[in-house]
């Protein structure tokens, strides 16, 4: 629209329609709606203030028009559904203050205060605890982010744990918790406590499909106390692990023991 803008005083019957251009957003409503409550809009359209119009008759208001439709609906009905996001509510609050719509200001401030309290009471991140394979499959296939799943299986009575293997398992859990806190906004983390015979297993998924897996088994058989070494297994797509590694302290312990035996044989030849 072009042409000279001119100030004018507008006053008409409540049923008279007016055309509004609010920051490029066009609206069509009655003077009665604009004057329903004691607001700046009533002052503008009851003849107490001058308004700017263009040659085509659009009344110009130099504000963002994103939420002006919500403001009109509030004036029409006395209530309105507020935006879902905190950002949207804050923007509507700013416009409500500009137009001096006290009831809408109070409603926005109340919702923002409630959202602030809820955010303070919630944990930094939430990690679902799998209770069934069906639930696991649903979470993985519907996730919009890459998925990291940690299986923790300590309820199998067939095995007992050494101090080293127990510490190893706790380190994996600690690593998982740290990653959950750090990357909760970019990666979806899941804990599994119902899974296979593996004691500790990391699984990595993308687009609902498994990309890689790292299984960590460190146990002592309860019957003959036969100690097994740390077992590390990965799929052919090991590179998808993305730098995340599990702890293998038992394997290092075994290597140290073998080195000690070799040293004793060299020092004490038969």
């Amino acid at each position: 629209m072009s042409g000279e803008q001119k100030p004018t005083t507008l006053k008409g019957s409540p049923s008279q329609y007016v055309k509004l251009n609010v920051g490029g957003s066009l609206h069509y409503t009655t003077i009665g709606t604009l004057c329903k409550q004691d607001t700046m809009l009533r002052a503008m359209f009851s003849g107490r203030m001058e308004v700017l119009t263009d040659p085509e008759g659009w009344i110009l208001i130099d504000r963002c028009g994103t939420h002006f439709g919500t403001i009109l609906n509030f004036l029409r009905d006395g209530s309105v559904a507020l935006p879902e996001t905190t950002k949207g509510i804050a923007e509507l609050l700013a416009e409500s203050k500009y137009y001096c719509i006290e009831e809408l200001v109070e409603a926005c401030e109340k919702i923002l205060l409630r959202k602030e309290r809820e955010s303070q009471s919630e944990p930094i991140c939430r990690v679902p605890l799998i209770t069934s394979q069906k639930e696991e499959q649903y979470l993985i296939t519907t996730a919009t982010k890459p998925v990291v799943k940690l299986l923790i299986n300590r309820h199998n009575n067939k095995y007992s744990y050494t101090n080293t293997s127990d510490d190893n398992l706790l380190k994996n859990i600690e690593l998982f918790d740290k990653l959950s806190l750090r990357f909760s906004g970019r990666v979806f983390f899941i804990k599994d406590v119902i899974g296979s015979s593996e004691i500790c297993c990391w699984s990595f998924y993308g687009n609902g499909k498994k990309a890689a897996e790292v299984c960590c088994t460190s146990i002592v058989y309860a019957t003959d106390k036969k100690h097994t070494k740390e077992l590390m297994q990965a799929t052919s797509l090991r590179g998808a692990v993305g730098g995340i590694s599990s702890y293998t302290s038992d394997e290092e312990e075994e290597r140290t023991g073998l080195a000690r035996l070799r040293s004793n044989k060299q020092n004490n030849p038969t």
Side-chain angles (χ1 to χ4, degrees), residues 91-235:
E91 292 172 349
L92 180 59
L93 173 61
E95 296 306 302
S96 302
K97 286 182 176 180
Y98 176 79
Y99 295 114
C100 302
I101 307 174
E102 293 300 328
E103 288 185 39
L104 193 52
V105 168
E106 292 176 4
C108 291
E109 289 178 339
K110 184 178 179 179
I111 294 297
L112 287 176
L113 181 60
R114 189 183 73 187
K115 284 182 173 289
E116 182 180 356
R117 289 174 178 171
E118 290 175 351
S119 65
Q120 291 174 351
S121 63
E122 289 183 352
I124 297 176
C125 69
R126 292 180 176 178
V127 177
L129 191 65
I130 295 300
T131 58
S132 70
Q133 291 186 351
K134 184 177 180 181
E135 179 186 14
E136 173 185 322
Q137 188 64 25
Y138 173 77
L139 289 174
I140 291 172
T141 55
T142 58
T144 57
K145 307 172 185 176
V147 177
V148 173
K149 184 189 75 171
L150 175 64
L151 165 66
I152 308 168
N153 181 11
R154 303 185 67 180
H155 60 270
N156 194 330
N157 294 327
K158 182 178 179 180
Y159 305 117
S160 61
Y161 296 83
T162 65
N163 290 335
T164 303
S165 61
D166 197 54
D167 183 61
N168 179 36
L169 180 62
L170 292 175
K171 285 181 178 179
N172 276 275
I173 295 173
E174 181 183 8
L175 173 61
F176 179 82
D177 291 341
K178 287 182 178 179
L179 292 172
S180 301
L181 291 173
R182 184 175 178 183
F183 298 106
S184 61
R186 301 186 315 193
V187 180
F188 183 46
F189 292 89
I190 299 175
K191 271 187 181 179
D192 183 356
V193 294
I194 60 144
S196 66
S197 59
E198 295 292 344
I199 293 174
C200 175
C201 185
W202 294 73
S203 300
F204 306 88
Y205 300 84
N207 298 320
K209 297 180 180 179
K210 182 181 288 187
E213 183 178 89
V214 179
C215 298
C216 320
T217 306
S218 179
I219 59 176
V220 173
Y221 285 90
T223 53
D224 56 6
K225 303 297 181 183
K226 180 181 178 182
H227 190 268
T228 64
K229 71 177 182 178
E230 189 81 9
L231 175 63
M232 297 296 298
Q233 297 175 334
T235 65

Side-chain angles (χ1 to χ4, degrees), residues 1-6 21 52-60:
M1 288 176 285
S2 59
E4 184 180 354
Q5 301 171 1
K6 60 178 182 178
N21 182 342
L52 285 177
T53 60
D54 67 11
E56 297 181 13
W58 290 92
I59 298 169
L60 307 177

